[in-house]
Amino acid sequence: MYNSKITGVGKYLPDNIVTNNDLKQWMDTSDEWIQERTGIKERRWIDAKNSDDTTSSMGAKAGKIAIERAGLTTNDIDFIIFATLSPDMYFPGGGVRVQDLLGMPTVGALDIRNQCSGFVYAISVADQFIKTGMYKNILVIGSENHSGGLERSTRGRGVTVIFGDGAGAVVMSQTKNNNEGVLSTHLHSEGKYAKELALEGPSTGRWVDAIMAENNPDDVSYYPYMNGQFVFKHAVVRFSEAIIEGLEKNNLQKDDIDMLIPHQANLRIAQFIQKKFGLSNAQVYNNIMRYGNTTAASIPIALTEAWEEGKIKDGNTVVLAAFGSGFTWGSVVIKW
Ligand code: ACO
């Protein structure tokens, strides 16, 4: 058996910065409300008129950087795993687009649909492929284009102000050293809460024909819905459980964590977790202030920034934890 380790990281954010005050052109909101409830100051939204960024193209750009930093070329990548809830097309998924955009050989491409937990699920899948020896180098991407599908009105403000666009990627490579790389992954779901955070239509359960036939101006089923407080309450519990599960599996204590990278759902959630575990500011990385919640992209973007800032070093214990729509949640413990 082999271990898998992260050998390269990369990120891509659209240029267009949308501040909290900018949102006021579409909805009744305030910088104060958004910062107090979420910690968000600004986010990146693709400027649809002047940019050709898509979920796949952003993922490809982040992936290219990760491959270069791993000291590899696209020819060395054996497999692509692409996590998103906002693919360019209903089908096919974004992984095949990345294979094409990066001019890669005809390697397999798998799409992961686990929303805010998507990247944690993707790392876990890549880890299993590498452990068994099936693949040596896997490109794992999380990318989201939320801005095109958010309701820019006061009706949609509870969801719209939170989400941002962007992409992050890692290369995971085989190592024969069983004491380094991914030490454990834990994945969970609780589908009875699927509708508490969901976008229901268009889908096979609520197809375009039905939406158009009803022509109901109050129909918001094609915009994301979130039962915010309900999600918040579950998030703080499940984040904690996932982190504890990862620590216990590896006989680690909370003091052993050099860097916790929580999915950037809400700064208040991350601060609650930090306080609960008694972690210092140096032990937790947050960048939701600048990017909002980028769902499957949030962990790889934060991981990349933390690494670029020299906050993750060889030998560090890095914990990734996520919770989101599904509900789904999970954790990854890494010896960097
Ligand atoms: N600006 C101003 N006022 C607003 C806004 C806004 N953007 N949005 C809502 N309000 C108003 C509401 O209308 C409501 O007004 P009322 O009291 O007059 O009815 C009031 O503010 C309070 O609204 P709540 O929804 O109760 O606000 P809450 O304190 O719950 O904060 C939030 C909302 C930030 C969404 C929070 O619940 C949250 O972060 N939830 C968890 C999100 C999360 O973790 N998601 C998981 C990952 S996402 C994924 O997987 C895709």
Side-chain angles (χ1 to χ4, degrees):
M1 286 278 272
Y2 304 96
N3 259 23
S4 70
K5 67 179 287 191
I6 292 175
T7 50
V9 295
K11 69 178 198 296
Y12 176 84
L13 279 310
D15 296 334
N16 186 40
I17 296 172
V18 178
T19 67
N20 292 342
N21 281 327
D22 291 336
L23 294 171
K24 289 199 246 176
Q25 67 189 288
W26 298 294
M27 61 196 75
D28 179 12
T29 190
S30 68
D31 180 46
E32 192 188 10
W33 191 97
I34 299 170
Q35 284 209 49
E36 192 185 305
R37 306 284 175 126
T38 70
I40 300 166
K41 295 182 179 172
E42 59 188 41
R43 73 286 292 138
R44 305 294 177 93
W45 278 3
I46 294 168
D47 177 1
K49 285 198 188 110
N50 300 303
S51 164
D52 53 9
D53 282 340
T54 69
T55 302
S56 303
S57 73
M58 293 191 297
K61 285 175 183 166
K64 188 166 181 286
I65 296 167
I67 293 168
E68 284 165 6
R69 284 180 172 162
L72 302 174
T73 72
T74 48
N75 287 332
D76 299 313
I77 301 296
D78 307 312
F79 195 61
I80 301 163
I81 303 182
F82 194 97
T84 190
L85 66 67
S86 51
D88 298 354
M89 295 183 260
Y90 190 86
F91 71 84
V96 297
R97 300 273 297 134
V98 169
Q99 180 273 331
D100 180 39
L101 286 167
L102 292 183
M104 296 170 74
T106 55
V107 296
L110 172 73
D111 280 63
I112 300 268
R113 296 204 39 178
N114 289 88
Q115 301 70 250
C116 294
S117 309
F119 191 75
V120 163
Y121 269 74
I123 290 276
S124 183
V125 173
D127 181 48
Q128 310 314 311
F129 274 130
I130 289 174
K131 273 201 169 84
T132 59
M134 182 159 175
Y135 296 125
K136 283 201 168 81
N137 298 299
I138 301 181
L139 178 60
V140 182
I141 296 171
S143 182
E144 302 287 359
N145 169 3
H146 287 305
S147 59
L150 296 170
E151 186 178 24
R152 298 187 192 191
S153 72
T154 297
R155 185 173 66 176
R157 66 184 178 179
V159 171
T160 302
V161 302
I162 295 169
F163 292 98
D165 302 336
V170 301
V171 171
M172 293 178 66
S173 304
Q174 191 186 76
T175 169
K176 290 181 178 146
N177 179 352
N178 287 332
N179 297 319
E180 67 171 359
V182 174
L183 302 181
S184 68
T185 63
H186 290 93
L187 307 175
H188 296 279
S189 72
E190 197 170 28
K192 69 179 173 185
Y193 298 128
K195 291 194 173 182
E196 303 297 341
L197 177 46
L199 195 160
E200 290 195 45
S203 66
T204 53
R206 182 154 176 69
W207 206 234
V208 179
D209 287 356
I211 294 170
M212 290 180 70
E214 287 169 26
N215 194 21
N216 175 3
D218 297 325
D219 178 14
V220 286
S221 65
Y222 43 85
Y223 289 121
Y225 166 78
M226 177 163 69
N227 184 349
Q229 291 189 9
F230 189 82
V231 174
F232 195 107
K233 283 176 194 155
H234 283 257
V236 290
V237 173
R238 297 309 193 184
F239 262 111
S240 304
E241 287 176 2
I243 294 166
I244 290 167
E245 200 173 20
L247 292 177
E248 285 181 351
K249 172 78 181 172
N250 296 290
N251 295 319
L252 295 169
Q253 309 298 319
K254 55 186 174 46
D255 295 342
D256 296 321
I257 299 175
D258 294 301
M259 182 57 75
L260 168 66
I261 303 202
H263 160 56
Q264 301 292 290
N266 182 326
L267 190 60
R268 305 294 160 241
I269 295 176
Q271 287 170 336
F272 179 92
I273 303 300
Q274 179 176 340
K275 198 169 165 199
K276 180 168 175 184
F277 283 85
L279 301 176
S280 68
N281 288 341
Q283 286 174 287
V284 185
Y285 194 85
N286 289 303
N287 61 7
I288 191 170
M289 305 73 90
R290 297 192 295 282
Y291 304 131
N293 177 346
T294 56
T295 310
S298 95
I299 290 179
I301 292 172
L303 188 65
T304 301
E305 283 200 346
W307 179 85
E308 287 169 346
E309 292 169 17
K311 292 177 176 163
I312 297 177
K313 299 184 185 71
D314 286 354
N316 278 175
T317 298
V318 178
V319 178
L320 315 178
F323 174 87
S325 159
F327 293 152
T328 55
W329 64 97
S331 66
V332 178
V333 177
I334 300 167
K335 181 64 86 178
W336 198 267

